[in-house]
Amino acid sequence: MPQPQTERTPRVLAVVDGMIPSVELVLSQPFDHLQAQGKLNYALHVISDPALPLSMSGFDALILMRVYQPQAMALAQAAEVAGIPLIYILDDDFSALDPQTPLGRHYADARAWERILGICAMARQVWTFSQALVDKVGAVQAHVVKLPAIANIELVDRLRAELHPPPQPAKVIGYAASLTHAGDLAAITRPLLAVLDAYPDWSIEIVNVDPGSLGRHARVKHFPGLPSVEQFYRFVMQRNWAIGLAPLLRTAANDAKTDNKYREYAALGISGIYSPAPPYAGSVAQGITGLYADGADEWVRAIATMIDDPTRRQGIVDMAREDVRSRYPLPGVAQRYLECLQAALRRPLQVIVIAPSAIPSVDIDIVRPFSRLQAEGLIDWTLTQQDQIGDGDLRDKDCAVIVRYSDPLTVDLMRRAREVHGVPTVYAWDDDFFSIPDGLGAITDYYQSPSTLDSLRHILREATIVKASTPRLAARSREYSSHVTVAPFGFDFDQLTSAGGTDAESADVVIGFFGSHSHGLNVALVSPVLARVAAEFPSTRFELFGPAGVLFGNLPRVTHLPWCASSSESINLLRGRGWSIGLAPFEDNLFNRTKLPTKYRDYSACGIAGVYSRIDPYADNVIEGVTGLLADQDPQSWYLAIRKLVEDADLRRRIASRAYLHVRDTLSVEGAVTAWRKIFVGLDTIPPHAAPAGHVPAAEHVEDRSGEQIAMLERRVRLLQISARLLLEQKRQLEGGKLGRLRRVVQRIRGTNHFGRDRSPAFAHFLPHAGSVLSSSMQLELSANLQALSHVEFAIVGAVAGCDVVEVAISLPVPTLPGMLTLEIISPDGAVILSSTIPLEDVDPFLPVRFHVGESLARAGSQGKLRFSTKGSFAPVFLFQMRHRQTALVMPFLGFSTAGEA
């Protein structure tokens, strides 16, 4: 674990290619907000500005946005030389622009994309706003972050208070875009002309983009582009558009766009109609926050729905505005940028995850949030299973996350992490293994066995932090640990690639169940109810994901859908089915009461109204009649709830809308990312051992250790015996004085391993022979106790060319106790070039400690420094050093060599 870092206000140089609207939305407004709050200081320059700083002196980070000119590459190189992080912001795929257009030809002639990728490869992070750009830039840069952009709701609120637009929108359909989107508008020209013919009191307004043949219609008006975001918003609010269009052809350039149209329309109170393209798939909920249209007929039908049903249109406006107000506010987006900036300014935490493979819990709560945190650079993480981890896998790690394992091997693993390697552990679980129900065969036998239950208690006591998925599971965890955090799993809306079911009104009401029905599904309760509903309402149809089962087995009009191996494929298939009602019957027992509201999360994210069992997972999250219906554990309650939704389409729509916003706001993967970030950033403040007072470690698991662990224990016993003899010898020799003791220790070290041998020119300079060590000019002494210091530091003096090993003499009065010794090689400007850590338990007190440092010494040069520190040491740790008697110059008692030298 790195030492806690003192946060200070970072100083940032930001350089852009021009003051265009995207720069205003993505950079200047959020950074102005952060600067006003005192969270950063930044200077914004255009790349062509003659006053653009050429030196990184005085700055902590460099941000480049959309620039590709030679000056941009020079700035990137200057940041690299200065050792400050570079962040590149990209919101367009310049490589996909049509080279036949003036803009595309300009970027092609300037080799813009090639240069941009070169700068991205040098960056610490790349910020993008679409999955397409994440995938494309990911070929050259591992740390590519997909970020939100502001909806400018604050600016809209201010303008609305100033302009007082009429409450009723005009009968106007609007579209504004850059000149490059003429093809997108042309693709819907025919349906727009059909709408104008069908609704003679409605008109269309086009801003900037060429309207083509549509512009010849008498009720189509064309306006020039506006130079700023605020002027455009003023124009739209004064024109009072009712419906906004967002056509987008499937091209590489369009797939890389942001959801800007959705954010703008929602903030401005305009109901939007969107192409089912990637920029909108994760943002717009069909029939809830907008409508999708693909093809001429769907465009005509969607616009007609908006025109003919003002109540429906206003409902979409209200839901969309509430959505962007929650997800894209200026303070929230600005804070997200600051988190990424802070991650770029610090060393990534090294995290190892020990978890069962191929289970949904790991994918949802580990892989997805951890991938985002790694893209930020906050963590570097690896995933392994418990039976595959070796003792060396824990070395140099800042944290070990253990997921769901609960056996004696896990107890031993956690103890080794803490005691041997000084690594804090996080235990993450999402099921109450103490309450496994009877009747599950081998699963019941395993979790109810005394060995498993005892191991689980020790695991909860040993963990530095316990992460529980629900409040009830957190309460169970607090019986054993005083450091418990609760954070539910989050739905990943980025996995949505389909636009959702059609919005066309259908006479059929589709009732479905999604997921395996082996986890507490109350078949006997619900099956008769569905048979009754099927007989009473011939318009109902039924769909079941997974294998055919007794739940829908005897119903008419049933479709069985195969469960996909990929959960993302299953979710997208569910979203595209257009279900009316989703069912989540759940058997009421202690085990199920601690589970997550998975069905509520999935149904709501896909825009489906649900009926749920009235037990903890759903009763704690579902607001009765608002975000779902709750049914008691009796058939009549289920029948009444299902019938209510079958008969009331408006209620279904309202529930689906409110539930979607609730899950989007409180149960999304972004919440899980935030929870894990707090855990990792806060590890420095948690004591190494979080078990309650009075905990007695169980000795009964020692015999289960592997051969490697037994050998390690035998070595510790041998070294403890040596330590005991050394301590007795020191006690007998106290009368010899400090200098005599030091001389004897040095002689023992030198006699044991020839520490003073002339192995290289540098070695001779740094390790004088015994005569010079004890000469009248040099005084041999011990450094201060590293146990009580943050670090000790020495200048690199002399020639180090060709040397890739640093050897240092240390004194361990009580060797073999847990702790870590770290060497950092520091560049002349203070950057950490290399950090290498060795367990103190592995240090032989009679041999020099060898750090393999590769080319780091050469990179640091003669002006660099060597920094030594300890972490988690239970005993004092000293370095041998030499002090010149006249000048008081301190030199380390160490040497440089090559890895091949014995």
Side-chain angles (χ1 to χ4, degrees), residues 195-205 217-221:
V195 167
L196 289 172
D197 290 343
Y199 298 92
D201 52 344
W202 281 72
S203 62
I204 295 176
E205 295 184 352
H217 195 284
R219 283 183 281 121
V220 174
K221 296 181 181 179

Side-chain angles (χ1 to χ4, degrees), residues 538-712:
S539 63
T540 54
R541 291 190 293 110
F542 303 89
E543 292 191 353
L544 173 68
F545 270 80
V550 293
L551 176 63
F552 287 5
N554 299 319
L555 295 177
R557 307 180 297 278
V558 174
T559 301
H560 293 284
L561 304 171
W563 188 262
C564 303
S566 164
S567 60
S568 293
E569 291 180 18
S570 294
I571 285 290
N572 279 285
L573 181 58
L574 171 65
R575 194 187 195 206
R577 298 301 298 180
W579 283 6
S580 312
I581 303 169
L583 304 179
F586 223 28
E587 186 176 354
D588 189 359
N589 56 46
L590 286 175
F591 180 69
N592 284 343
R593 290 177 195 166
T594 62
K595 294 186 77 67
L596 288 154
T598 304
K599 295 290 185 295
Y600 172 67
R601 192 182 61 211
D602 292 343
Y603 290 155
S604 301
C606 293
I608 302 167
V611 181
Y612 309 91
S613 287
R614 196 188 301 276
I615 70 169
D616 295 48
Y618 301 122
D620 290 345
N621 290 277
V622 177
I623 302 174
E624 175 67 31
V626 178
T627 62
L629 297 183
L630 295 168
D632 297 323
Q633 296 296 102
D634 67 86
Q636 183 66 11
S637 179
W638 275 91
Y639 167 74
L640 293 175
I642 295 172
R643 187 185 74 177
K644 188 173 185 178
L645 289 181
V646 169
E647 293 178 331
D648 194 336
D650 287 338
L651 178 61
R652 292 200 304 269
R653 186 176 295 124
R654 291 197 304 272
I655 285 177
S657 298
R658 300 306 311 183
Y660 170 84
L661 292 185
H662 180 232
V663 168
R664 186 98 226 202
D665 189 40
T666 63
L667 292 173
S668 71
V669 72
E670 286 76 17
V673 171
T674 298
W676 279 111
R677 182 185 292 108
K678 289 181 178 178
I679 288 173
F680 290 133
V681 173
L683 277 174
D684 289 330
T685 65
I686 301 295
H689 189 207
H695 166 55
V696 179
E700 62 270 23
H701 300 307
V702 173
E703 65 272 17
D704 293 325
R705 296 190 172 187
S706 66
E708 176 189 2
Q709 295 162 336
I710 293 174
M712 179 193 70

Side-chain angles (χ1 to χ4, degrees), residues 177-483:
S178 66
L179 300 177
T180 60
H181 288 281
D184 299 318
L185 180 58
I188 63 169
T189 292
R190 287 198 332 181
L192 291 179
L193 291 173
V195 167
L196 289 172
D197 290 343
Y199 298 92
D201 52 344
W202 281 72
S203 62
I204 295 176
E205 295 184 352
I206 308 296
V207 178
N208 198 26
V209 63
D210 183 3
S213 61
L214 185 65
R216 294 194 289 269
H217 195 284
R219 283 183 281 121
V220 174
K221 296 181 181 179
H222 182 259
F223 299 88
L226 294 132
S228 72
V229 172
E230 180 169 339
Q231 287 175 290
F232 172 66
Y233 286 1
R234 285 180 179 274
F235 170 84
V236 172
M237 295 175 76
Q238 289 166 342
R239 305 301 299 181
N240 209 16
W241 290 359
I243 301 169
L245 306 177
L248 207 60
L249 295 173
R250 289 302 306 276
T251 67
N254 282 346
D255 284 358
K257 295 291 184 183
T258 74
D259 61 351
N260 183 54
K261 280 283 181 289
Y262 170 65
R263 288 180 279 114
E264 283 188 339
Y265 290 155
L268 290 164
I270 301 169
S271 57
I273 303 174
Y274 308 87
S275 290
Y280 304 121
S283 295
V284 181
Q286 171 74 316
I288 297 174
T289 59
L291 296 181
Y292 285 110
D294 189 17
D297 291 345
E298 287 191 13
W299 275 98
V300 171
R301 183 167 56 246
I303 297 173
T305 297
M306 292 290 201
I307 292 175
D308 293 337
D309 193 344
T311 302
R312 177 84 182 279
R313 186 174 73 229
Q314 187 59 44
I316 287 175
V317 166
D318 294 340
M319 292 294 103
R321 184 188 288 122
E322 185 175 338
D323 180 37
V324 299
R325 189 180 292 276
S326 171
R327 288 200 291 138
Y328 303 120
L330 177 59
V333 172
Q335 180 62 29
R336 185 76 184 85
Y337 293 0
L338 181 63
E339 290 168 349
C340 288
L341 174 62
Q342 289 171 337
L345 291 170
R346 61 184 293 167
R347 177 182 72 81
L349 298 174
Q350 302 301 309
V351 178
I352 185 168
V353 179
I354 303 103
S357 62
I359 62 172
S361 297
V362 175
D363 176 62
I364 295 170
D365 197 47
I366 299 294
V367 175
R368 294 181 184 275
F370 280 34
S371 296
R372 285 164 169 77
L373 292 173
Q374 178 157 307
E376 295 178 12
L378 180 67
I379 64 171
D380 281 335
W381 70 288
T382 55
L383 176 63
T384 187
Q385 297 182 59
Q386 182 170 269
D387 59 356
Q388 297 174 349
I389 189 170
D391 200 62
D393 294 325
L394 293 171
R395 291 177 180 171
D396 300 326
K397 295 298 185 292
D398 297 306
C399 180
V401 177
I402 302 173
V403 182
R404 289 178 62 93
Y405 284 121
S406 55
D407 54 39
L409 286 177
T410 315
V411 176
D412 182 67
L413 173 64
M414 297 184 81
R415 286 180 178 164
R416 280 191 290 129
R418 176 171 59 86
E419 297 176 2
V420 178
H421 301 284
V423 176
T425 55
V426 178
Y427 184 68
W429 63 330
D430 60 324
D431 277 321
D432 184 359
F433 300 133
F434 293 107
S435 302
I436 293 289
D438 297 329
L440 298 180
I443 294 177
T444 297
D445 294 340
Y446 173 78
Y447 282 107
Q448 290 185 358
S449 71
S451 174
T452 300
L453 292 174
D454 185 58
S455 296
L456 184 56
R457 295 185 187 98
H458 284 295
I459 289 166
L460 294 172
R461 289 173 178 140
E462 291 284 343
T464 309
I465 296 175
V466 177
K467 179 182 176 294
S469 56
T470 66
R472 186 179 280 267
L473 195 59
R476 169 74 82 177
S477 304
R478 292 188 182 98
E479 297 175 16
Y480 305 94
S481 174
S482 56
H483 293 280

Side-chain angles (χ1 to χ4, degrees), residues 484-507:
V484 178
T485 183
V486 57
F489 292 8
F491 187 90
D492 183 5
F493 284 87
D494 283 349
Q495 70 186 309
L496 298 178
T497 57
S498 69
T502 176
D503 194 63
E505 292 295 332
S506 171

